[in-house]
PDB file of all heavy atoms in Angstrom:
ATOM      1  N   GLU A  87     -10.426 -51.014 -13.360  1.00  0.00           N
ATOM      2  CA  GLU A  87      -9.239 -50.173 -13.064  1.00  0.00           C
ATOM      3  C   GLU A  87      -9.574 -48.704 -12.905  1.00  0.00           C
ATOM      4  O   GLU A  87      -9.050 -48.016 -12.046  1.00  0.00           O
ATOM      5  CB  GLU A  87      -8.202 -50.327 -14.171  1.00  0.00           C
ATOM      6  CG  GLU A  87      -7.496 -51.668 -14.253  1.00  0.00           C
ATOM      7  CD  GLU A  87      -6.681 -51.950 -12.998  1.00  0.00           C
ATOM      8  OE1 GLU A  87      -6.258 -50.968 -12.371  1.00  0.00           O
ATOM      9  OE2 GLU A  87      -6.467 -53.125 -12.704  1.00  0.00           O
ATOM     10  N   SER A 107      -1.136 -43.051 -12.398  1.00  0.00           N
ATOM     11  CA  SER A 107      -1.228 -44.233 -13.295  1.00  0.00           C
ATOM     12  C   SER A 107      -1.497 -43.797 -14.759  1.00  0.00           C
ATOM     13  O   SER A 107      -0.931 -44.281 -15.657  1.00  0.00           O
ATOM     14  CB  SER A 107      -2.291 -45.204 -12.852  1.00  0.00           C
ATOM     15  OG  SER A 107      -1.872 -45.834 -11.664  1.00  0.00           O
ATOM     16  N   GLN A 111       0.901 -44.508 -17.828  1.00  0.00           N
ATOM     17  CA  GLN A 111       0.445 -45.380 -18.918  1.00  0.00           C
ATOM     18  C   GLN A 111       0.559 -44.647 -20.260  1.00  0.00           C
ATOM     19  O   GLN A 111       0.977 -45.260 -21.257  1.00  0.00           O
ATOM     20  CB  GLN A 111      -1.022 -45.782 -18.725  1.00  0.00           C
ATOM     21  CG  GLN A 111      -1.312 -46.660 -17.527  1.00  0.00           C
ATOM     22  CD  GLN A 111      -0.843 -48.063 -17.745  1.00  0.00           C
ATOM     23  OE1 GLN A 111      -1.099 -48.683 -18.736  1.00  0.00           O
ATOM     24  NE2 GLN A 111      -0.076 -48.597 -16.778  1.00  0.00           N
ATOM     25  N   GLU A 116       1.452 -47.315 -23.127  1.00  0.00           N
ATOM     26  CA  GLU A 116       0.681 -48.585 -22.879  1.00  0.00           C
ATOM     27  C   GLU A 116      -0.788 -48.390 -23.068  1.00  0.00           C
ATOM     28  O   GLU A 116      -1.536 -49.365 -23.265  1.00  0.00           O
ATOM     29  CB  GLU A 116       1.035 -49.070 -21.466  1.00  0.00           C
ATOM     30  CG  GLU A 116       2.364 -49.763 -21.428  1.00  0.00           C
ATOM     31  CD  GLU A 116       2.883 -49.957 -20.032  1.00  0.00           C
ATOM     32  OE1 GLU A 116       2.068 -50.388 -19.185  1.00  0.00           O
ATOM     33  OE2 GLU A 116       4.050 -49.629 -19.759  1.00  0.00           O
TER      34      GLU A 116
ATOM     35  N   GLU B 117      -4.750 -51.915  -3.798  1.00  0.00           N
ATOM     36  CA  GLU B 117      -4.714 -51.928  -5.230  1.00  0.00           C
ATOM     37  C   GLU B 117      -3.278 -51.892  -5.768  1.00  0.00           C
ATOM     38  O   GLU B 117      -2.940 -52.613  -6.668  1.00  0.00           O
ATOM     39  CB  GLU B 117      -5.503 -50.738  -5.803  1.00  0.00           C
ATOM     40  CG  GLU B 117      -5.838 -50.921  -7.248  1.00  0.00           C
ATOM     41  CD  GLU B 117      -6.750 -49.820  -7.801  1.00  0.00           C
ATOM     42  OE1 GLU B 117      -7.853 -49.735  -7.314  1.00  0.00           O
ATOM     43  OE2 GLU B 117      -6.295 -49.088  -8.654  1.00  0.00           O
ATOM     44  N   HIS B 118      -2.442 -51.066  -5.146  1.00  0.00           N
ATOM     45  CA  HIS B 118      -1.004 -51.055  -5.587  1.00  0.00           C
ATOM     46  C   HIS B 118      -0.374 -52.415  -5.346  1.00  0.00           C
ATOM     47  O   HIS B 118       0.335 -52.911  -6.208  1.00  0.00           O
ATOM     48  CB  HIS B 118      -0.236 -49.992  -4.843  1.00  0.00           C
ATOM     49  CG  HIS B 118      -0.772 -48.596  -5.133  1.00  0.00           C
ATOM     50  ND1 HIS B 118      -0.997 -48.141  -6.413  1.00  0.00           N
ATOM     51  CD2 HIS B 118      -1.081 -47.544  -4.307  1.00  0.00           C
ATOM     52  CE1 HIS B 118      -1.421 -46.917  -6.361  1.00  0.00           C
ATOM     53  NE2 HIS B 118      -1.508 -46.503  -5.120  1.00  0.00           N
ATOM     54  N   GLU B 120      -1.763 -55.341  -5.193  1.00  0.00           N
ATOM     55  CA  GLU B 120      -2.286 -56.299  -6.152  1.00  0.00           C
ATOM     56  C   GLU B 120      -1.639 -56.141  -7.517  1.00  0.00           C
ATOM     57  O   GLU B 120      -1.285 -57.127  -8.201  1.00  0.00           O
ATOM     58  CB  GLU B 120      -3.801 -56.168  -6.297  1.00  0.00           C
ATOM     59  CG  GLU B 120      -4.519 -56.845  -5.151  1.00  0.00           C
ATOM     60  CD  GLU B 120      -6.043 -56.511  -5.120  1.00  0.00           C
ATOM     61  OE1 GLU B 120      -6.466 -55.658  -5.924  1.00  0.00           O
ATOM     62  OE2 GLU B 120      -6.735 -57.121  -4.349  1.00  0.00           O
ATOM     63  N   HIS B 121      -1.455 -54.935  -7.975  1.00  0.00           N
ATOM     64  CA  HIS B 121      -0.788 -54.686  -9.266  1.00  0.00           C
ATOM     65  C   HIS B 121       0.670 -55.182  -9.236  1.00  0.00           C
ATOM     66  O   HIS B 121       1.163 -55.737 -10.184  1.00  0.00           O
ATOM     67  CB  HIS B 121      -0.851 -53.220  -9.651  1.00  0.00           C
ATOM     68  CG  HIS B 121      -2.143 -52.840 -10.293  1.00  0.00           C
ATOM     69  ND1 HIS B 121      -2.254 -52.102 -11.462  1.00  0.00           N
ATOM     70  CD2 HIS B 121      -3.438 -53.088  -9.922  1.00  0.00           C
ATOM     71  CE1 HIS B 121      -3.491 -51.967 -11.774  1.00  0.00           C
ATOM     72  NE2 HIS B 121      -4.267 -52.549 -10.858  1.00  0.00           N
ATOM     73  N   ILE B 122       1.319 -54.905  -8.066  1.00  0.00           N
ATOM     74  CA  ILE B 122       2.715 -55.386  -7.943  1.00  0.00           C
ATOM     75  C   ILE B 122       2.741 -56.920  -8.009  1.00  0.00           C
ATOM     76  O   ILE B 122       3.707 -57.457  -8.542  1.00  0.00           O
ATOM     77  CB  ILE B 122       3.299 -54.845  -6.605  1.00  0.00           C
ATOM     78  CG1 ILE B 122       3.518 -53.350  -6.695  1.00  0.00           C
ATOM     79  CG2 ILE B 122       4.596 -55.620  -6.250  1.00  0.00           C
ATOM     80  CD1 ILE B 122       3.865 -52.677  -5.409  1.00  0.00           C
ATOM     81  N   LYS B 124       1.318 -58.766 -10.040  1.00  0.00           N
ATOM     82  CA  LYS B 124       1.098 -59.323 -11.349  1.00  0.00           C
ATOM     83  C   LYS B 124       1.723 -58.566 -12.494  1.00  0.00           C
ATOM     84  O   LYS B 124       1.266 -58.600 -13.636  1.00  0.00           O
ATOM     85  CB  LYS B 124      -0.438 -59.461 -11.633  1.00  0.00           C
ATOM     86  CG  LYS B 124      -1.183 -58.167 -11.595  1.00  0.00           C
ATOM     87  CD  LYS B 124      -2.668 -58.338 -11.877  1.00  0.00           C
ATOM     88  CE  LYS B 124      -3.310 -56.977 -11.913  1.00  0.00           C
ATOM     89  NZ  LYS B 124      -4.754 -57.024 -11.808  1.00  0.00           N
ATOM     90  N   SER B 125       2.848 -57.826 -12.201  1.00  0.00           N
ATOM     91  CA  SER B 125       3.361 -57.077 -13.332  1.00  0.00           C
ATOM     92  C   SER B 125       4.908 -57.135 -13.384  1.00  0.00           C
ATOM     93  O   SER B 125       5.565 -57.725 -12.527  1.00  0.00           O
ATOM     94  CB  SER B 125       2.942 -55.614 -13.249  1.00  0.00           C
ATOM     95  OG  SER B 125       3.095 -55.117 -11.964  1.00  0.00           O
ATOM     96  N   HIS B 129       6.819 -51.692 -13.815  1.00  0.00           N
ATOM     97  CA  HIS B 129       5.480 -51.317 -13.354  1.00  0.00           C
ATOM     98  C   HIS B 129       5.398 -51.543 -11.816  1.00  0.00           C
ATOM     99  O   HIS B 129       4.715 -50.762 -11.115  1.00  0.00           O
ATOM    100  CB  HIS B 129       4.435 -52.172 -14.071  1.00  0.00           C
ATOM    101  CG  HIS B 129       3.036 -51.624 -13.942  1.00  0.00           C
ATOM    102  ND1 HIS B 129       2.646 -50.441 -14.498  1.00  0.00           N
ATOM    103  CD2 HIS B 129       1.958 -52.094 -13.262  1.00  0.00           C
ATOM    104  CE1 HIS B 129       1.373 -50.218 -14.209  1.00  0.00           C
ATOM    105  NE2 HIS B 129       0.924 -51.212 -13.431  1.00  0.00           N
ATOM    106  N   GLN B 130       6.053 -52.562 -11.290  1.00  0.00           N
ATOM    107  CA  GLN B 130       6.058 -52.782  -9.856  1.00  0.00           C
ATOM    108  C   GLN B 130       6.596 -51.544  -9.172  1.00  0.00           C
ATOM    109  O   GLN B 130       6.118 -51.120  -8.143  1.00  0.00           O
ATOM    110  CB  GLN B 130       6.934 -54.001  -9.530  1.00  0.00           C
ATOM    111  CG  GLN B 130       6.273 -55.318  -9.894  1.00  0.00           C
ATOM    112  CD  GLN B 130       7.141 -56.506  -9.603  1.00  0.00           C
ATOM    113  OE1 GLN B 130       8.395 -56.433  -9.719  1.00  0.00           O
ATOM    114  NE2 GLN B 130       6.547 -57.647  -9.262  1.00  0.00           N
ATOM    115  N   GLU B 132       6.661 -48.448 -10.254  1.00  0.00           N
ATOM    116  CA  GLU B 132       5.728 -47.331 -10.345  1.00  0.00           C
ATOM    117  C   GLU B 132       4.699 -47.419  -9.217  1.00  0.00           C
ATOM    118  O   GLU B 132       4.388 -46.395  -8.575  1.00  0.00           O
ATOM    119  CB  GLU B 132       4.969 -47.380 -11.678  1.00  0.00           C
ATOM    120  CG  GLU B 132       5.875 -46.998 -12.882  1.00  0.00           C
ATOM    121  CD  GLU B 132       5.150 -47.176 -14.245  1.00  0.00           C
ATOM    122  OE1 GLU B 132       4.025 -47.591 -14.265  1.00  0.00           O
ATOM    123  OE2 GLU B 132       5.803 -46.933 -15.233  1.00  0.00           O
ATOM    124  N   HIS B 133       4.178 -48.607  -9.002  1.00  0.00           N
ATOM    125  CA  HIS B 133       3.197 -48.743  -7.914  1.00  0.00           C
ATOM    126  C   HIS B 133       3.882 -48.682  -6.526  1.00  0.00           C
ATOM    127  O   HIS B 133       3.228 -48.226  -5.583  1.00  0.00           O
ATOM    128  CB  HIS B 133       2.448 -50.070  -8.048  1.00  0.00           C
ATOM    129  CG  HIS B 133       1.348 -50.023  -9.052  1.00  0.00           C
ATOM    130  ND1 HIS B 133       0.186 -49.251  -8.886  1.00  0.00           N
ATOM    131  CD2 HIS B 133       1.224 -50.639 -10.269  1.00  0.00           C
ATOM    132  CE1 HIS B 133      -0.569 -49.414  -9.919  1.00  0.00           C
ATOM    133  NE2 HIS B 133       0.004 -50.203 -10.806  1.00  0.00           N
ATOM    134  N   MET B 136       3.752 -45.184  -5.068  1.00  0.00           N
ATOM    135  CA  MET B 136       2.458 -44.787  -4.515  1.00  0.00           C
ATOM    136  C   MET B 136       2.154 -45.557  -3.215  1.00  0.00           C
ATOM    137  O   MET B 136       1.612 -45.004  -2.248  1.00  0.00           O
ATOM    138  CB  MET B 136       1.345 -44.996  -5.556  1.00  0.00           C
ATOM    139  CG  MET B 136       1.616 -44.237  -6.855  1.00  0.00           C
ATOM    140  SD  MET B 136       0.248 -44.325  -8.043  1.00  0.00           S
ATOM    141  CE  MET B 136       0.928 -45.455  -9.220  1.00  0.00           C
TER     142      MET B 136
HETATM  143 CU1  LIG C 201      -0.752 -51.264 -12.420  1.00  0.00          CU
END
Side-chain angles (χ1 to χ4, degrees):
Chain A
E87 289 296 335
S107 290
Q111 294 288 311
E116 282 165 47
Chain B
E117 196 173 297
H118 296 313
E120 282 171 350
H121 277 229
I122 288 169
K124 60 178 184 196
S125 48
H129 195 69
Q130 286 178 328
E132 288 172 1
H133 280 292
M136 301 185 255

